[in-house]
């Protein structure tokens, strides 16, 4: 969720990155950044998806901010 507080948004992005680094793995992680009606995709380090990773990410961006897709 992007807000008008750029500093807080950047801090949240760093927090997401740190969480993902703690779950290093093979799963692709893409952050969708929405701003002014458009969406940018930012690739983050690969991670190992598990319930604990989901819980920690949801703690930063809310449950609605975490989406898991199975590819292939």
């Amino acid at each position: 969720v992007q807000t008008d507080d750029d500093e807080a948004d950047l801090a949240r992005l760093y927090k997401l990155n740190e969480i993902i680094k703690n779950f290093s793995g093979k799963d692709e992680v893409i952050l969708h950044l929405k701003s002014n009606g458009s969406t940018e995709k930012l690739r983050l380090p690969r991670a190992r998806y598990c319930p604990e990773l989901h819980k920690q990410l949801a703690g930063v961006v809310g449950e609605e901010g975490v989406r898991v897709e199975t590819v292939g």
Side-chain angles (χ1 to χ4, degrees), residues 4-57:
D4 291 332
D5 186 344
D6 291 341
E7 216 171 283
D9 292 343
L10 188 57
R12 197 169 20 260
L13 178 60
Y14 282 120
K15 180 68 175 170
L16 290 172
N17 198 45
E18 287 303 312
I19 291 169
I20 290 167
K21 284 182 182 179
N22 288 332
F23 291 87
S24 181
K26 296 180 180 179
D27 298 323
E28 185 174 50
V29 179
I30 300 173
L31 181 64
H32 294 256
L33 302 169
K34 295 180 181 180
S35 179
N36 300 324
S38 65
T39 301
E40 297 291 328
K41 294 180 182 179
L42 176 64
R43 292 186 188 279
L44 297 177
R46 290 185 176 265
R48 172 186 45 83
Y49 180 78
C50 64
E52 183 60 28
L53 172 60
H54 188 106
K55 178 181 173 184
Q56 289 188 30
L57 293 175

